[in-house]
Every structure is written in C-alpha cells, then in structure tokens.
Amino acid sequence: MICNETDGSGPHDDVWTRRISKMRIYSGERMESDLREAGFRRVDTYRKDGRRWICVIARRRDQSETSGKI
C-alpha cells in the first residue's frame, strides 16, 4: 500500500522535492505501471474527491491463489 498526500499534479508540489534530496512524486498512473511491471497482478488506485491525495493498493496474486496466506 502506498499513500501520498499528492499525486504530483499540484503547482507547488516541487516544494517537497526541493527540500528532500532525491525525493520523487509519482502519478497514480506511473505507480500502477511500475507495480504491474514488478509483477503485481491487481493494482487499485483510490483518490479523495477534490484533493490530490492518492492511495495505491497492490497485490501480487489473487486471494484465491494464496490459500489464506499473505
């Protein structure tokens, strides 16, 4: 699970990337793509209406494949 206060689309998001060395802010689409490339089969992205908050939940396999194991 990845939760961010911003998806990088705000006009002042670069404030954080200037303050914190090597920090990057990725869009939901970029995170989804990267997670799928890394082998996650299910990737769900949630956003807060009217905000740029983002939460991405990724699962490597379906629950039916895990036999109750995480």
Side-chain angles (χ1 to χ4, degrees):
M1 180 172 82
I2 303 167
C3 292
N4 290 338
E5 291 182 4
T6 185
D7 60 6
S9 66
H12 303 291
D13 288 341
D14 65 337
V15 166
W16 298 108
T17 57
R18 285 183 289 158
R19 287 184 185 177
I20 302 171
S21 176
K22 298 184 182 182
M23 179 179 171
R24 303 288 180 268
I25 300 172
Y26 296 105
S27 69
E29 294 78 15
R30 168 72 186 270
M31 285 189 276
E32 286 180 28
S33 173
D34 288 350
L35 287 164
R36 288 185 195 286
E37 187 176 317
F40 289 89
R41 290 186 184 175
R42 182 172 175 185
V43 181
D44 299 305
T45 301
Y46 302 91
R47 298 173 186 273
K48 175 79 173 164
D49 290 339
R51 301 280 195 144
R52 292 185 314 274
W53 299 348
I54 187 170
C55 180
V56 180
I57 299 175
R59 294 174 184 85
R60 283 207 176 267
R61 53 195 141 182
D62 294 332
Q63 288 181 348
S64 62
E65 296 177 81
T66 63
S67 301
K69 298 178 184 178
I70 297 178

